[in-house]
Amino acid sequence: MRFFIGLAILFTGLQSIAYPGIDQCWDINNKPVSIQQTVALGQAAESNIINGLPTILLHPQMMGQYPHDVQQFIVAHECAHHRQGHVVRVHFGGSLPITSEFDADCMAIKTLKDLGLLNAFVLRNIQTFLSSLHADATHPGGTHRAQYAQQCAQ
Ligand SMILES: [Zn+2]
């Protein structure tokens, strides 16, 4: 769930994938966001702009290791990065505050809630997933993200 500047990476053999309800995603400029699968990815998911098109890239095997509700959360989180303008900003050389991850998590939780896909069991699965994530230069620690997700679900 990080950004990459796409120029250095060749994406071939992209395939569309459906996440019903979640995959209706538009970026900050109201461009439709394409969701594609590729094994040419070092992580489960990332957001990017490819050939001018806002895109979410998913690694099918890495995504497949998560329960379906966590996969939905991940896609909604990536969509939130597009919707909130994070992807465009990074693509054009800007930087993001680390709170961007909390914002994307929170919007994803609210998206699932609005779609009627959030319940206590789903929230627990999402929190377990978030807790497993490590902090780095652009991502806060998973424990904090799990706590914040709880607040967003209220
Ligand atoms: Zn993120």
Side-chain angles (χ1 to χ4, degrees), residues 1-3 77-78 81 86 100-101 104-105 138-139 145:
M1 296 201 288
R2 295 170 193 163
F3 303 117
H77 172 102
E78 296 304 324
H81 278 312
H86 302 160
S100 303
E101 290 306 317
D105 287 342
T138 59
H139 289 71
R145 291 176 68 176

PDB file of all heavy atoms in Angstrom, residues 1-3 77-78 81 86 100-101 104-105 138-139 145, ligand 1:
ATOM      1  N   MET A   1       0.835  -1.187   0.000  1.00  0.00           N
ATOM      2  CA  MET A   1       0.000   0.000   0.000  1.00  0.00           C
ATOM      3  C   MET A   1       0.878   1.248   0.000  1.00  0.00           C
ATOM      4  O   MET A   1       0.812   2.088   0.840  1.00  0.00           O
ATOM      5  CB  MET A   1      -0.921  -0.024   1.211  1.00  0.00           C
ATOM      6  CG  MET A   1      -1.889  -1.194   1.158  1.00  0.00           C
ATOM      7  SD  MET A   1      -3.306  -0.958   2.159  1.00  0.00           S
ATOM      8  CE  MET A   1      -2.569  -1.149   3.781  1.00  0.00           C
ATOM      9  N   ARG A   2       1.740   1.283  -0.938  1.00  0.00           N
ATOM     10  CA  ARG A   2       2.617   2.441  -1.075  1.00  0.00           C
ATOM     11  C   ARG A   2       2.497   2.984  -2.481  1.00  0.00           C
ATOM     12  O   ARG A   2       1.973   2.348  -3.371  1.00  0.00           O
ATOM     13  CB  ARG A   2       4.060   2.022  -0.831  1.00  0.00           C
ATOM     14  CG  ARG A   2       4.254   1.576   0.577  1.00  0.00           C
ATOM     15  CD  ARG A   2       5.596   0.948   0.753  1.00  0.00           C
ATOM     16  NE  ARG A   2       5.597   0.275   2.037  1.00  0.00           N
ATOM     17  CZ  ARG A   2       6.468  -0.636   2.374  1.00  0.00           C
ATOM     18  NH1 ARG A   2       7.414  -0.972   1.545  1.00  0.00           N
ATOM     19  NH2 ARG A   2       6.386  -1.208   3.552  1.00  0.00           N
ATOM     20  N   PHE A   3       3.035   4.147  -2.653  1.00  0.00           N
ATOM     21  CA  PHE A   3       3.050   4.731  -3.980  1.00  0.00           C
ATOM     22  C   PHE A   3       4.378   4.472  -4.655  1.00  0.00           C
ATOM     23  O   PHE A   3       5.407   4.449  -4.023  1.00  0.00           O
ATOM     24  CB  PHE A   3       2.867   6.248  -3.895  1.00  0.00           C
ATOM     25  CG  PHE A   3       1.626   6.639  -3.205  1.00  0.00           C
ATOM     26  CD1 PHE A   3       1.667   7.345  -2.035  1.00  0.00           C
ATOM     27  CD2 PHE A   3       0.394   6.289  -3.736  1.00  0.00           C
ATOM     28  CE1 PHE A   3       0.516   7.711  -1.388  1.00  0.00           C
ATOM     29  CE2 PHE A   3      -0.757   6.649  -3.094  1.00  0.00           C
ATOM     30  CZ  PHE A   3      -0.699   7.367  -1.915  1.00  0.00           C
ATOM     31  N   HIS A  77      -9.142   1.311   0.595  1.00  0.00           N
ATOM     32  CA  HIS A  77      -8.039   2.161   1.073  1.00  0.00           C
ATOM     33  C   HIS A  77      -7.292   2.770  -0.116  1.00  0.00           C
ATOM     34  O   HIS A  77      -6.992   3.976  -0.122  1.00  0.00           O
ATOM     35  CB  HIS A  77      -7.099   1.311   1.943  1.00  0.00           C
ATOM     36  CG  HIS A  77      -5.825   1.989   2.349  1.00  0.00           C
ATOM     37  ND1 HIS A  77      -5.631   2.523   3.608  1.00  0.00           N
ATOM     38  CD2 HIS A  77      -4.686   2.239   1.654  1.00  0.00           C
ATOM     39  CE1 HIS A  77      -4.418   3.059   3.664  1.00  0.00           C
ATOM     40  NE2 HIS A  77      -3.821   2.900   2.494  1.00  0.00           N
ATOM     41  N   GLU A  78      -7.004   1.958  -1.108  1.00  0.00           N
ATOM     42  CA  GLU A  78      -6.315   2.487  -2.291  1.00  0.00           C
ATOM     43  C   GLU A  78      -7.196   3.496  -3.027  1.00  0.00           C
ATOM     44  O   GLU A  78      -6.719   4.531  -3.490  1.00  0.00           O
ATOM     45  CB  GLU A  78      -5.891   1.355  -3.225  1.00  0.00           C
ATOM     46  CG  GLU A  78      -4.857   0.400  -2.629  1.00  0.00           C
ATOM     47  CD  GLU A  78      -3.592   1.095  -2.157  1.00  0.00           C
ATOM     48  OE1 GLU A  78      -3.156   2.057  -2.804  1.00  0.00           O
ATOM     49  OE2 GLU A  78      -3.044   0.681  -1.118  1.00  0.00           O
ATOM     50  N   HIS A  81      -6.956   6.804  -1.402  1.00  0.00           N
ATOM     51  CA  HIS A  81      -5.747   7.554  -1.782  1.00  0.00           C
ATOM     52  C   HIS A  81      -5.986   8.321  -3.089  1.00  0.00           C
ATOM     53  O   HIS A  81      -5.533   9.460  -3.241  1.00  0.00           O
ATOM     54  CB  HIS A  81      -4.559   6.614  -1.966  1.00  0.00           C
ATOM     55  CG  HIS A  81      -3.866   6.242  -0.692  1.00  0.00           C
ATOM     56  ND1 HIS A  81      -3.483   7.166   0.267  1.00  0.00           N
ATOM     57  CD2 HIS A  81      -3.458   5.030  -0.220  1.00  0.00           C
ATOM     58  CE1 HIS A  81      -2.873   6.539   1.256  1.00  0.00           C
ATOM     59  NE2 HIS A  81      -2.857   5.233   1.003  1.00  0.00           N
ATOM     60  N   HIS A  86      -4.129  11.979  -2.953  1.00  0.00           N
ATOM     61  CA  HIS A  86      -2.762  11.619  -2.550  1.00  0.00           C
ATOM     62  C   HIS A  86      -1.942  11.128  -3.739  1.00  0.00           C
ATOM     63  O   HIS A  86      -0.759  11.449  -3.864  1.00  0.00           O
ATOM     64  CB  HIS A  86      -2.797  10.504  -1.489  1.00  0.00           C
ATOM     65  CG  HIS A  86      -3.573  10.864  -0.261  1.00  0.00           C
ATOM     66  ND1 HIS A  86      -4.067   9.920   0.615  1.00  0.00           N
ATOM     67  CD2 HIS A  86      -3.939  12.066   0.249  1.00  0.00           C
ATOM     68  CE1 HIS A  86      -4.707  10.520   1.597  1.00  0.00           C
ATOM     69  NE2 HIS A  86      -4.658  11.824   1.396  1.00  0.00           N
ATOM     70  N   SER A 100      -1.778  10.793   6.059  1.00  0.00           N
ATOM     71  CA  SER A 100      -2.522  10.379   4.863  1.00  0.00           C
ATOM     72  C   SER A 100      -2.983   8.935   4.974  1.00  0.00           C
ATOM     73  O   SER A 100      -4.045   8.570   4.462  1.00  0.00           O
ATOM     74  CB  SER A 100      -1.654  10.528   3.619  1.00  0.00           C
ATOM     75  OG  SER A 100      -1.208  11.852   3.497  1.00  0.00           O
ATOM     76  N   GLU A 101      -2.166   8.093   5.615  1.00  0.00           N
ATOM     77  CA  GLU A 101      -2.551   6.681   5.763  1.00  0.00           C
ATOM     78  C   GLU A 101      -3.768   6.539   6.677  1.00  0.00           C
ATOM     79  O   GLU A 101      -4.675   5.755   6.408  1.00  0.00           O
ATOM     80  CB  GLU A 101      -1.378   5.850   6.278  1.00  0.00           C
ATOM     81  CG  GLU A 101      -0.262   5.680   5.269  1.00  0.00           C
ATOM     82  CD  GLU A 101      -0.755   5.123   3.940  1.00  0.00           C
ATOM     83  OE1 GLU A 101      -1.577   4.193   3.933  1.00  0.00           O
ATOM     84  OE2 GLU A 101      -0.328   5.644   2.896  1.00  0.00           O
ATOM     85  N   ALA A 104      -6.781   7.600   4.673  1.00  0.00           N
ATOM     86  CA  ALA A 104      -7.208   6.578   3.709  1.00  0.00           C
ATOM     87  C   ALA A 104      -7.880   5.408   4.430  1.00  0.00           C
ATOM     88  O   ALA A 104      -8.896   4.878   3.966  1.00  0.00           O
ATOM     89  CB  ALA A 104      -6.015   6.098   2.881  1.00  0.00           C
ATOM     90  N   ASP A 105      -7.324   5.008   5.571  1.00  0.00           N
ATOM     91  CA  ASP A 105      -7.949   3.933   6.361  1.00  0.00           C
ATOM     92  C   ASP A 105      -9.364   4.332   6.765  1.00  0.00           C
ATOM     93  O   ASP A 105     -10.306   3.543   6.660  1.00  0.00           O
ATOM     94  CB  ASP A 105      -7.140   3.654   7.639  1.00  0.00           C
ATOM     95  CG  ASP A 105      -5.836   2.927   7.375  1.00  0.00           C
ATOM     96  OD1 ASP A 105      -5.681   2.331   6.296  1.00  0.00           O
ATOM     97  OD2 ASP A 105      -4.973   2.953   8.278  1.00  0.00           O
ATOM     98  N   THR A 138       6.746   6.332   5.355  1.00  0.00           N
ATOM     99  CA  THR A 138       5.482   6.935   4.910  1.00  0.00           C
ATOM    100  C   THR A 138       4.261   6.298   5.571  1.00  0.00           C
ATOM    101  O   THR A 138       3.135   6.715   5.298  1.00  0.00           O
ATOM    102  CB  THR A 138       5.329   6.818   3.375  1.00  0.00           C
ATOM    103  OG1 THR A 138       5.376   5.430   3.010  1.00  0.00           O
ATOM    104  CG2 THR A 138       6.430   7.585   2.652  1.00  0.00           C
ATOM    105  N   HIS A 139       4.474   5.288   6.417  1.00  0.00           N
ATOM    106  CA  HIS A 139       3.345   4.578   7.016  1.00  0.00           C
ATOM    107  C   HIS A 139       3.483   4.513   8.538  1.00  0.00           C
ATOM    108  O   HIS A 139       4.521   4.061   9.033  1.00  0.00           O
ATOM    109  CB  HIS A 139       3.258   3.150   6.465  1.00  0.00           C
ATOM    110  CG  HIS A 139       2.822   3.095   5.038  1.00  0.00           C
ATOM    111  ND1 HIS A 139       3.623   3.504   4.009  1.00  0.00           N
ATOM    112  CD2 HIS A 139       1.657   2.690   4.481  1.00  0.00           C
ATOM    113  CE1 HIS A 139       2.972   3.355   2.865  1.00  0.00           C
ATOM    114  NE2 HIS A 139       1.775   2.862   3.123  1.00  0.00           N
ATOM    115  N   ARG A 145      -2.844   2.368  13.555  1.00  0.00           N
ATOM    116  CA  ARG A 145      -3.845   2.333  12.466  1.00  0.00           C
ATOM    117  C   ARG A 145      -5.060   1.516  12.899  1.00  0.00           C
ATOM    118  O   ARG A 145      -6.198   1.883  12.601  1.00  0.00           O
ATOM    119  CB  ARG A 145      -3.214   1.770  11.187  1.00  0.00           C
ATOM    120  CG  ARG A 145      -2.176   2.727  10.597  1.00  0.00           C
ATOM    121  CD  ARG A 145      -1.480   2.142   9.386  1.00  0.00           C
ATOM    122  NE  ARG A 145      -2.389   2.011   8.237  1.00  0.00           N
ATOM    123  CZ  ARG A 145      -2.001   1.592   7.042  1.00  0.00           C
ATOM    124  NH1 ARG A 145      -0.730   1.281   6.830  1.00  0.00           N
ATOM    125  NH2 ARG A 145      -2.872   1.505   6.060  1.00  0.00           N
TER     126      ARG A 145
HETATM  127 ZN    ZN B   1      -2.000   3.617   1.944  1.00  0.00          ZN
END
